[in-house]
Amino acid sequence: DGGITQSPKYLFRKEGQNVTLSCEQNLNHDAMYWYRQDPGQGLRLIYYSQIVNDFQKGDIAEGYSVSREKKESFPLTVTSAQKNPTAFYLCASSKGRGVGDTQYFGPGTRLTVL
Amino acid sequence: SQQGEEDPQALSIQEGENATMNCSYKTSINNLQWYRQNSGRGLVHLILIRSNEREKHSGRLRVTLDTSKKSSSLLITASRAADTASYFCATDSNTGNQFYFGTGTSLTVIP
């Protein structure tokens, strides 16, 4: 997990509320990623950013938004439009912008909607 | 979908035994990587194998890649209780710009 921090570790949200998950890296990596993991399943890509002020949708971007104003930060907002937001959220970064570069993961944020 | 699939979904072995897990994918790739995830934690990169490589070793890990069968295997030799975790393969695509993770193999090593 070294070099990438996610906060908070656990997050509870009421239905209808937006919530923002933090992801910070001090690895000087260009690319950053957000994944969602549901129980017993693999990771699904929500959004990724290969450079500051630019980001791309992944496979399941609906109901989520991101920003990349600084190289070291890539916050994810889970909006009220996301119908089933309860999940484990993982942030990652990679040195290069190339697809397939080794990704370094944060410890994750577990979001529960009450 | 490009997403890989690991087999078996779950594996339970005695300490000291070898553990083998397999990954199959659907389209041509540049690289295939294996990651490990301890329960409730982030993923940790284990090893990368390129499409022009057939086998790679790292410590007790041995990875093979068969691009003709679109499959890879991860062998952990002389397993330890600390190897208990979920293991994921991840593939890129030589025609796309995304990175896909498989569904994972849950390994339990019994002391």
Side-chain angles (χ1 to χ4, degrees), chain A residues 1 9 35 37 40-45 48 57-59 88 90 99-103 105-108 110, chain B residues 3 30-31 33 35 37 40-45 48 88 91-93 96-104:
Chain A
D1 299 345
K9 186 170 184 177
Y35 293 93
Q37 186 177 31
Q41 296 190 28
L43 279 66
R44 292 184 289 168
L45 183 65
Y48 65 101
K57 292 182 179 180
D59 293 328
F88 189 49
L90 287 161
V99 176
D101 282 353
T102 297
Q103 297 193 10
F105 283 81
R110 188 167 299 279
Chain B
Q3 187 179 40
N30 292 316
N31 306 304
Q33 301 185 41
Y35 287 79
Q37 182 182 33
R41 303 293 297 275
L43 278 70
V44 175
H45 179 257
L48 179 151
F88 295 88
T91 57
D92 63 359
S93 167
N97 60 356
Q98 286 202 29
F99 196 51
Y100 294 93
F101 284 84
T103 51

Side-chain angles (χ1 to χ4, degrees), chain A residues 11-100:
Chain A
L11 188 56
F12 298 89
R13 188 194 91 174
K14 293 182 180 179
E15 281 191 25
Q17 288 182 336
N18 291 358
V19 64
T20 297
L21 282 59
S22 169
C23 178
E24 304 277 333
Q25 54 99 359
N26 62 3
L27 300 169
N28 199 33
H29 284 176
D30 285 322
M32 297 186 74
Y33 312 82
W34 273 107
Y35 293 93
R36 170 184 172 135
Q37 186 177 31
D38 293 285
Q41 296 190 28
L43 279 66
R44 292 184 289 168
L45 183 65
I46 304 172
Y47 268 99
Y48 65 101
S49 168
Q50 294 179 308
I51 194 170
V52 174
N53 292 322
D54 186 50
F55 47 84
Q56 306 295 328
K57 292 182 179 180
D59 293 328
I60 56 166
E62 185 176 352
Y64 300 97
S65 66
V66 294
S67 63
R68 186 86 186 276
E69 297 176 2
K70 298 185 296 182
K71 188 175 185 178
E72 56 270 21
S73 179
F74 192 40
L76 173 74
T77 296
V78 184
T79 75
S80 57
Q82 169 50 235
K83 298 304 179 187
N84 185 22
T86 294
F88 189 49
Y89 290 87
L90 287 161
C91 179
S93 70
S94 63
K95 184 175 182 180
R97 304 172 194 172
V99 176

Side-chain angles (χ1 to χ4, degrees), chain B residues 36-84:
Chain B
R36 167 197 167 121
Q37 182 182 33
N38 284 43
S39 181
R41 303 293 297 275
L43 278 70
V44 175
H45 179 257
L46 295 176
I47 196 165
L48 179 151
I49 187 165
R50 302 192 186 282
S51 59
N52 61 354
E53 297 175 312
R54 291 297 167 258
E55 186 172 315
K56 204 161 182 181
H57 296 254
S58 177
R60 293 184 296 112
L61 306 180
R62 173 178 169 249
V63 169
T64 62
L65 179 64
D66 187 335
T67 53
S68 67
K69 295 181 179 178
K70 293 186 172 58
S71 68
S72 173
S73 67
L74 171 67
L75 168 68
I76 304 174
T77 60
S79 64
R80 305 167 182 168
D83 294 329
T84 294

